[in-house]
Amino acid sequence: MNKQEFLYQLKEGLIRLDESERDQFVLYYDELIEDYIEDGESEEEAVKKLGKPAIVASKILEEAFEEGNFQPKKRTNPLMVGLLILGFPLWGSLLLALIAVILAAYIVIWCLPFSTGLFAVVGLAVSVFSSVASIFALQDGVFIAVTQLGVSILVLGLAILSGIATLNMANYVIKISRSFSNTVSRLIQNKGLLS
């Protein structure tokens, strides 16, 4: 077992501690292993000298419990669980409505770059078709052919502007979406719903 595996298993074994306490113990054992390595031992020997991470973690938890420093995680209140179950029709429908509103907002936000992107593609196709068709319009007169060519160039310019606008809007919407997702993720993690 190498140092990273030992520290990972130690951290998993200390899952009942607060994150800051857990990190302190992991840092302590990380430095301890480094000290052993500086004294000339290999990484595997240093890790082996400390023992199995599960045993080390259980000793730490035992000592913390005896000293009264250990605060077990809050237990779930049965009354709260019952209220959550009984109130599910209310809070569940509100939660679904909130999720639907958020999804609708995402769809509306993404409709704008989608529509400008679609206009860019269609405008490009129309411009190419109109340019080619202007050659055949020479049969009806030079004035009509030049007008059609001018319109195709105008549509090409609008398509290019629309494409640039699409890229800018897509980048902006991606930033907003990423920021919103990170905010929601942090809120959920702070409430302990993902841990």
Side-chain angles (χ1 to χ4, degrees):
M1 178 183 300
N2 60 27
K3 183 177 82 171
Q4 292 303 322
E5 292 170 340
F6 178 86
L7 295 176
Y8 176 76
Q9 290 183 17
L10 179 65
K11 193 170 184 177
E12 290 296 312
L14 298 174
I15 196 74
R16 296 173 67 190
L17 294 178
D18 290 338
E19 189 173 352
S20 61
E21 292 176 306
R22 199 169 50 225
D23 290 342
Q24 286 177 355
F25 282 111
V26 170
L27 182 63
Y28 170 76
Y29 279 93
D30 184 21
E31 291 174 357
L32 194 59
I33 292 170
E34 289 298 324
D35 288 343
Y36 286 142
I37 293 172
E38 286 177 8
D39 290 341
E41 296 184 23
S42 69
E43 186 176 308
E44 287 77 19
E45 290 172 345
V47 169
K48 192 174 182 179
K49 197 170 186 178
L50 295 175
K52 293 184 179 179
I55 295 173
V56 174
S58 66
K59 285 181 182 175
I60 290 171
L61 290 176
E62 193 175 298
E63 289 175 8
F65 184 73
E66 287 175 0
E67 292 173 2
N69 295 332
F70 176 64
Q71 295 177 350
K73 286 190 172 181
K74 293 178 184 175
R75 293 185 178 194
T76 306
N77 187 350
L79 178 62
M80 185 62 80
V81 172
L83 288 175
L84 283 174
I85 292 171
L86 291 175
F88 178 74
L90 177 63
W91 68 262
S93 58
L94 290 175
L95 180 65
L96 287 176
L98 179 65
I99 291 171
V101 167
I102 291 171
L103 285 176
Y106 268 115
I107 290 170
V108 167
I109 288 172
W110 276 101
C111 274
L112 194 57
F114 177 75
S115 59
T116 55
L118 189 63
F119 178 78
V121 171
V122 171
L124 184 64
V126 167
S127 174
V128 169
F129 178 76
S130 180
S131 296
V132 172
S134 67
I135 296 171
F136 298 106
L138 283 172
Q139 297 173 354
D140 297 332
V142 175
F143 176 72
I144 294 175
V146 170
T147 302
Q148 187 161 349
L149 184 62
V151 169
S152 68
I153 292 172
L154 175 69
V155 172
L156 178 64
L158 291 175
I160 291 172
L161 288 177
S162 183
I164 293 170
T166 301
L167 291 175
N168 288 334
M169 280 189 288
N171 286 334
Y172 188 68
V173 169
I174 286 171
K175 285 180 186 174
I176 290 174
S177 300
R178 190 175 295 157
S179 173
F180 180 73
S181 299
N182 289 338
T183 303
V184 170
S185 176
R186 266 187 262 124
L187 284 174
I188 291 173
Q189 286 178 348
N190 286 342
K191 295 291 182 185
L193 296 176
L194 291 180
S195 60

